[in-house]
Amino acid sequence: MECRVGSVLDLPFAAATFDGVWCANVAQYLTEAEFTRAMGELCRVTKPGGLVAVKEFDATLLQMLPLDPAIFARLAAARRAKAAATGLLGAWCGPLLGPFFRRAGLTDLVRKGWLIERWAPPPRPTRQFVAMGLRFQAGLAAAHDVSPADRKALQAAAADPDRLLDDPDFCLREAFVVTRGRVPA
Ligand SMILES: C[S@@+](CC[C@H](N)C(=O)[O-])C[C@H]1O[C@@H](n2cnc3c(N)ncnc32)[C@H](O)[C@@H]1O
């Protein structure tokens, strides 16, 4: 196996190199114009008849129970409103990528979503992931137009993640969508 480092905006591979390509959790960091270009690159390096698949997060469905189940949805809405000015696709773009696939000329679109649940008691990797995620989300709340109550709740959870993680009704619920299309033969 060979690995190469490069930008998805300018892939370091010749045209029609691969039977299939996979791009996970990168689109959210790109603007619409950049992702359009990235889709062009993914299609270019895929053989005619080959598959292009993109996996992305849907932050509107994130929950860390027993925190208010809608708190991350409200934060995602605030992030989305702010990102509208820049065209950034954002961490909620998982279910929204179909138009990019169609505009790139891909056919036979298939979309499939996954809900991943981690119920109490969470194992150590989940605890570390949630503690880190809470700090990240509290930082986002501080920088976006969310209610003082939501900001305070996220700050409190980030400051003491064990309280949430030790709750017998704790559950991390995350959603992803994979979009797949075929390069015309
Ligand atoms: C959340 S991580 C996902 C990593 C991995 N694909 C995964 O799913 O676990 C986001 C990644 O996007 C990469 N990234 C951001 N912009 C990129 C670009 N223009 N070209 C290639 N990678 C990019 C970052 O370097 C980072 O590694």
Side-chain angles (χ1 to χ4, degrees), residues 6-9 24-26 29-30:
S7 173
V8 75
L9 304 178
N25 308 318
V26 176
Y29 301 101
L30 305 178

Side-chain angles (χ1 to χ4, degrees), residues 124-160:
R124 197 139 74 97
T126 301
R127 296 183 76 95
Q128 291 168 339
F129 179 73
V130 167
M132 188 184 69
L134 282 168
R135 286 196 297 276
F136 177 67
Q137 298 284 341
L140 288 173
H144 288 80
D145 185 19
V146 297
S147 72
D150 281 1
R151 196 169 292 149
K152 199 170 158 191
L154 287 170
Q155 277 168 357
D160 184 10

Side-chain angles (χ1 to χ4, degrees), residues 18-91:
F18 301 107
D19 296 316
V21 297
W22 165 256
C23 177
N25 308 318
V26 176
Q28 60 183 279
Y29 301 101
L30 305 178
T31 64
E32 288 183 17
E34 287 170 336
F35 186 59
T36 298
R37 180 171 166 164
M39 285 299 297
E41 280 294 274
L42 295 172
C43 292
R44 178 184 68 76
V45 302
T46 305
K47 294 175 185 170
L51 296 175
V52 173
V54 177
K55 168 188 177 265
E56 266 304 341
F57 196 47
D58 181 357
T60 65
L61 298 179
L62 176 64
Q63 298 179 351
M64 293 189 197
L65 305 176
L67 284 180
D68 178 344
I71 196 166
F72 295 108
R74 290 193 290 270
L75 177 54
R79 294 172 67 191
R80 195 171 174 177
K82 195 169 174 182
T86 59
L88 195 71
L89 287 180

